[in-house]
Amino acid sequence: DIVMTQSPDSLAVSLGERATINCKSSQSLLFSSNNKNYLAWYQQKPGQPPKLLIHWASTRESGVPDRFSGSGSGTDFTLTISNLQAEDVAVYYCQHYYGTLRYTFGQGTKLEIK
Amino acid sequence: QVQLQESGPGLVRPSQTLSLTCNVSGGSISNADYYWSWIRQSAGEGLEWIGRMYITGRTNYNPSLKSRVTISIDTSKNQFSLKLSSVTAADTAVYYCARGLSGGWFGGNWFDPWGQGTLVTVSS
């Protein structure tokens, strides 16, 4: 199984500042045939289901503010939230979809306002 | 837009079978562009993908649950279902249904949207 490890487990950032969440996979998520990274990011607010933010490691979903951006390749990925807003308080998860046998999620990173 | 809604008992006795249904509205479950998955979330295990079904009837299951899981689809009702047998307290979780978007022939799915989730407690 591919293990997804996020860091930090929690962080507090001031309004208007930048939040950076890391996700590391135990094996490369880059498929050489199409040069795509099989990684998605989700946001989960209290009492709600996860909401898809990004897929293919950096493709932002329609309607997601452009202050959310994804980067990275291979085994190391980053979700960056610029100009942090109060409504961004949530738990963020990465998920790999490399191959079809088993998709796993990171343990989550809790983002709070400082 | 497509919406998903889980339904089923909130309490299941140990050793019994957990049964949930996901109703899909705003779109056809027969759309060949999508897969239909179940995912659960517990405090101890975080988010865990359970399995998926495609409209052809093809299924893929998490190897750790494969021996106990059955996912089926009812196109006439635009629903798909989950059965998890021989449950224990470790199966207590919020269960979500979700639409899976395809990563192509090689890859799996990312998930959008998700249902609101339903808490299933396994207890005597």
Side-chain angles (χ1 to χ4, degrees), chain A residues 11-53:
Chain A
L11 76 161
V13 176
S14 301
L15 290 172
E17 298 299 307
R18 177 182 300 175
T20 300
I21 298 170
N22 301 301
C23 176
K24 189 174 185 67
S25 58
S26 61
Q27 70 181 67
S28 177
L29 304 183
L30 177 64
F31 188 45
S32 56
S33 295
N34 59 12
N35 202 37
K36 290 187 173 185
N37 287 282
Y38 285 63
L39 182 103
W41 286 98
Y42 300 85
Q43 173 193 65
Q44 186 177 30
K45 297 182 178 180
Q48 296 184 20
K51 173 190 173 184
L52 178 68
L53 297 175

Side-chain angles (χ1 to χ4, degrees), chain A residues 70-87:
Chain A
S71 62
S73 184
T75 61
D76 294 281
F77 301 90
T78 300
L79 175 69
T80 302
I81 309 169
S82 304
N83 186 21
L84 188 73
Q85 303 295 301
E87 61 263 32

Side-chain angles (χ1 to χ4, degrees), chain A residues 31 33-34 38 40 42 44 47-52 55-56 61 93 95-103 105-106, chain B residues 37 39 41 47-49 52 60-64 96 101-103 105-112 114-116:
Chain A
F31 188 45
S33 295
N34 59 12
Y38 285 63
Y42 300 85
Q44 186 177 30
Q48 296 184 20
K51 173 190 173 184
L52 178 68
H55 68 279
W56 294 132
E61 301 306 311
Y93 295 94
Q95 175 231 332
H96 89 80
Y97 48 97
Y98 190 89
T100 59
L101 290 180
R102 179 172 180 171
Y103 321 128
F105 295 81
Chain B
S37 272
I39 299 161
Q41 185 173 31
L47 287 162
E48 182 179 31
W49 175 73
R52 71 174 186 176
N60 298 104
Y61 298 133
N62 186 325
S64 70
Y96 295 101
L101 294 96
S102 177
W105 68 268
F106 172 75
N109 301 150
W110 61 93
F111 305 105
D112 180 55
W114 299 50
Q116 281 298 309

